[in-house]
Amino acid sequence: MSSLKDKVAIVTGASRGIGRSIAERLAQEGAAVVVNYCKSADKAQEVVRGIEEKGGHALAIQADVSKVSDIRRLFQQIMGHYERIDIVVANAGMFNPKSVVDTTEEEFDAMVALNTKSVFFTLQEAGRHITDGGRIIYISTSATASSYPGSAVYKGTKAAGEHFITTLAHELGPRQVTVNTVSPGFTETDMLPKDEALRETGRQMSPLRRLGQPIDIAHVVAFLASEEGGWITGDNIQASGGIT
Ligand code: NAP
């Protein structure tokens, strides 16, 4: 794969889990990476240090991306520091497993704010600032293509982003910007419930009989971000170990 040297990437929610692995993988390919976080300042700094120790470039920026004003400040800070943005990964999200009948208005609003509203306005800022030929990648979930109890609000709030992506691909395509969704399956992060029975179900649902690791998702994102990924746009890549 050709290098991402001289490219600037932003990954939302990159202090932990899948976002962290994506940030590290893009840095490994040579991109300067903005590590966005909300609360975990120490962990974000640890990601930056790890990248720098390997000779890469990274910058941690706090922003609560469920707030539009924070998203706009985040992009202004990146433009102020690097004067360009080439790769945007809208990764931050949350999963609160609750049945329909048990979900409160506050829980519903919190999932909408982080899983839907933050994605829309991150994509809006991406569209406004991204370099021609850039790459926009949204991290959804394979759950939007399946069904299980306790996932209604999660699936509904994540699925909206997939529709934002297919439309944005048409709107930015004339500038040679590609816009895609990557949909992980069960992936071993803090978000995945500790419940061993659920984890075993996840392993058995994959033909590969294991849970996904954050790096499994990061490899796919790195390919889409590369020059070689340039003919894929408006698509939803299932990075789920074969779960459907
Ligand atoms: P995670 O381990 O819980 O990490 C979440 C990340 O998002 C953290 O870096 C956290 O930063 C950040 N974050 C949370 N709220 C934020 C906010 N308001 N503003 C900015 N950043 C915020 O989650 P993950 O498993 O890596 O999930 C990443 C994405 O993959 C999500 O969109 C999720 O829906 C999707 N996904 C995950 C799985 C899975 O099995 N893990 C499966 C399918 C899809 P702080 O620590 O600073 O709050």
Side-chain angles (χ1 to χ4, degrees):
M1 242 161 44
S2 51
S3 162
L4 296 178
K5 192 171 169 298
D6 300 328
K7 307 282 186 200
V8 174
I10 155 73
V11 184
T12 66
S15 54
R16 298 183 280 120
I18 292 170
R20 173 184 181 150
S21 198
I22 293 170
E24 292 169 345
R25 187 69 182 77
L26 294 178
Q28 188 189 334
E29 294 299 325
V33 181
V34 173
V35 175
N36 161 247
Y37 67 98
C38 182
K39 296 181 180 148
S40 306
D42 290 353
K43 290 191 171 152
Q45 289 303 342
E46 193 182 297
V47 178
V48 168
R49 264 198 312 280
I51 288 172
E52 287 175 342
E53 277 166 18
K54 290 183 175 154
H57 300 282
L59 176 69
I61 301 183
Q62 193 283 335
D64 177 350
V65 297
S66 65
K67 295 181 183 152
V68 178
S69 56
D70 274 29
I71 297 172
R72 294 192 175 141
R73 174 181 52 79
L74 171 65
F75 277 78
Q76 287 304 332
Q77 280 184 247
I78 300 167
M79 290 305 288
H81 190 88
Y82 289 109
E83 299 180 341
R84 61 185 296 144
I85 300 175
D86 305 281
I87 300 160
V88 175
V89 184
N91 165 77
M94 68 181 287
F95 175 47
N96 183 5
K98 278 300 227 15
S99 69
V100 170
V101 295
D102 287 334
T103 301
T104 66
E105 183 179 355
E106 290 71 28
E107 289 166 344
F108 181 90
D109 286 346
M111 293 255 256
V112 170
L114 186 56
N115 291 347
T116 306
K117 185 176 165 190
S118 95
V119 172
F120 183 86
F121 286 97
T122 298
L123 297 178
Q124 181 180 77
E125 288 304 298
R128 287 174 176 171
H129 295 289
I130 202 155
T131 317
D132 288 358
R135 303 281 188 257
I136 298 175
I137 297 147
Y138 161 55
I139 306 301
S140 184
T141 169
S142 63
T144 59
S146 64
S147 206
Y148 52 86
S151 64
V153 184
Y154 181 62
K155 285 178 4 175
T157 55
K158 296 290 290 185
E162 297 175 11
H163 295 282
F164 303 156
I165 287 295
T166 51
T167 302
L168 190 64
H170 281 280
E171 293 178 359
L172 299 183
R175 292 176 44 209
Q176 302 306 306
V177 175
T178 69
V179 185
N180 290 288
T181 296
V182 170
S183 291
F186 293 84
T187 310
E188 235 170 342
T189 69
D190 295 342
M191 182 183 284
L192 191 66
K194 299 281 176 250
D195 176 8
E196 185 44 41
L198 180 123
R199 287 173 174 237
E200 186 53 26
T201 302
R203 287 184 198 103
Q204 293 307 320
M205 280 172 72
S206 165
L208 303 173
R209 299 289 189 269
R210 67 171 176 87
L211 296 174
Q213 297 300 316
I215 190 67
D216 293 320
I217 316 307
H219 287 318
V220 178
V221 171
F223 173 70
L224 289 175
S226 73
E227 193 180 332
E228 289 81 355
W231 191 231
I232 301 173
T233 197
D235 218 331
N236 184 346
I237 312 293
Q238 298 294 320
S240 64
I243 292 171
T244 48

